[in-house]
Amino acid sequence: MKIFDGKQCVTALKANLKQKIEELPENKRKPKLAALLVGDLAASQLYVKNKVKTCEEIGMISEVIRAEENISHNDLLEIIYRLNSDETVDGYIVQLPLPKQIDESKILLAIDPKKDVDGFHPHNLGLMLLGLETFVPATPKGIMSILKSEKIKTAGAHCVVIGRSNIVGTPMALLLSRKGIDCTVTLVHSQTKNIKEFCASADILIAAIGKANFVTADMVKDGAVVIDVGINRIDDPSTPKGYRVVGDVDFEHVKEKASFITPVPGGVGMLTVISLIENTWMSFCRTENIANG
Ligand code: GUN
């Protein structure tokens, strides 16, 4: 059984991108990722901080635009329009969740699809559905990178995806069934009957349901590949913070059956920032007519 090393994988992906940026001609501008942060939610601040740090490490420019928690919908739209027309910005994200007074879907629709490096805009989701080049959302993109870098055999494999969210489960199922990847995919969700039986038949099991330790050892086939997308806080008075972060998979027991498993923390979550930055690089290459983006 192999436990995935997210840090090692990310280090290699970062080095690859850093080199590409270093090789840009001296007179060429550098790619730039912007993040729009509304309010001061601790988790959102941390995500954005990680994005800025990774940009610095690989030589990409980053900018954080901060807005007050009580910003009006129209004022937020003004910032979006400014980012859309700023030619120095190759891609940007609006950090979610947004405060209650903001209509999230309207904001996401206002993002220029050419700069939508989160891949959340219907235009980009449509391109993905058609198998055309686009920005793939960070988590599914990261999982595809893991399958590739670990040389996991996907052709003909039965892959069960647990969870049908717009940004993980649904795109994941689509990507895995593509020509060239060639999995047979089952998407199970909260209304599925016999979830356990479906999971136990999976060669590749992807858990993105948001329930701590949902996948138990009896739901896993011997030798299965298990990818854990969950990030759940559970109470643990023995830790200094009083809680710890666990995935959707009961790691300690499932690892005894799996041939390959991603841990939480240190697994899939490690890949999301670099995936976003890879999308930004792709956007830069399109704008600057650089091949191999
Ligand atoms: N909040 C948590 N994850 C994400 C993400 O991937 N993109 C954005 N924009 N906000 C998030």
Side-chain angles (χ1 to χ4, degrees):
M1 184 270 308
K2 178 173 180 188
I3 299 176
F4 174 66
D5 184 341
K7 194 167 178 198
Q8 190 183 48
C9 181
V10 167
T11 303
L13 293 171
K14 274 190 205 165
N16 183 5
L17 205 47
K18 184 167 192 249
Q19 187 178 351
K20 287 183 185 169
I21 293 172
E22 275 170 6
E23 283 169 1
L24 287 171
E26 282 215 355
N27 58 355
K28 183 74 88 193
R29 71 181 179 90
K30 298 276 189 250
K32 177 170 166 181
L33 169 68
L36 175 49
L37 183 59
V38 183
D40 54 8
L41 265 182
S44 295
Q45 305 243 32
L46 184 64
Y47 283 137
V48 169
K49 199 171 131 195
N50 281 340
K51 284 161 194 160
V52 170
K53 182 169 160 268
T54 308
C55 282
E56 274 168 12
E57 282 169 12
I58 64 162
M60 193 175 273
I61 301 170
S62 67
E63 182 185 354
V64 182
I65 299 110
R66 291 173 197 276
E68 296 290 333
E69 173 87 26
N70 62 359
I71 189 171
S72 72
H73 193 83
N74 281 346
D75 286 351
L76 194 57
L77 274 179
E78 281 304 316
I79 302 178
I80 301 277
Y81 297 146
R82 215 167 63 220
L83 285 163
N84 284 348
S85 57
D86 183 340
E87 288 179 2
T88 69
V89 173
D90 295 288
Y92 70 93
I93 63 144
V94 179
Q95 188 66 36
L96 304 177
L98 290 171
K100 282 194 270 317
Q101 76 277 15
I102 306 291
D103 182 338
E104 198 165 283
S105 57
K106 281 197 182 137
I107 294 294
L108 295 181
L109 271 175
I111 297 175
D112 179 349
K114 291 195 288 301
K115 297 190 177 188
D116 167 41
V117 283
D118 257 332
F120 293 169
H121 193 286
H123 179 93
N124 287 321
L125 291 169
L127 289 172
M128 188 172 64
L129 179 71
L130 297 173
L132 300 171
E133 190 187 83
T134 187
F135 303 120
V136 172
T139 302
K141 186 180 171 92
I143 294 172
M144 297 308 286
S145 296
I146 294 174
L147 297 177
K148 189 172 169 200
S149 71
E150 297 291 335
K151 299 189 175 60
I152 287 166
K153 188 175 167 294
T154 53
H158 180 212
C159 180
V160 174
V161 179
I162 316 173
R164 55 180 160 182
S165 72
N166 289 343
I167 58 173
V168 185
T170 300
M172 204 62 248
L174 193 64
L175 292 168
L176 289 162
S177 60
R178 280 249 186 92
K179 231 184 205 350
I181 304 296
D182 299 320
C183 284
T184 303
V185 179
T186 304
L187 179 63
V188 302
H189 48 75
S190 56
Q191 302 306 306
T192 302
K193 295 195 175 89
N194 307 329
I195 280 205
K196 282 195 177 202
E197 284 78 358
F198 279 115
C199 293
S201 73
D203 303 307
I204 302 173
L205 184 59
I206 302 186
I209 196 167
K211 288 189 182 160
N213 299 323
F214 178 83
V215 175
T216 48
D218 59 325
M219 294 165 73
V220 177
K221 184 161 91 174
D222 274 327
V225 167
V226 180
I227 310 279
D228 191 352
V229 183
I231 299 178
N232 310 291
R233 269 188 191 187
I234 57 167
D235 291 340
D236 184 350
S238 72
T239 64
K241 288 183 177 158
Y243 68 86
R244 72 197 151 87
V245 173
V246 300
D248 291 352
V249 174
D250 175 7
F251 182 81
E252 283 311 316
H253 296 102
V254 170
K255 78 175 179 355
E256 303 303 330
K257 288 184 94 176
S259 61
F260 175 86
I261 187 165
T262 66
V264 176
V268 173
M270 300 283 295
L271 273 283
T272 53
V273 173
I274 189 68
S275 296
L276 180 76
I277 288 176
E278 284 174 348
N279 279 345
T280 310
W281 170 252
M282 190 172 119
S283 175
F284 171 81
C285 290
R286 275 184 190 168
T287 310
E288 297 293 327
N289 273 319
I290 296 171
N292 206 11

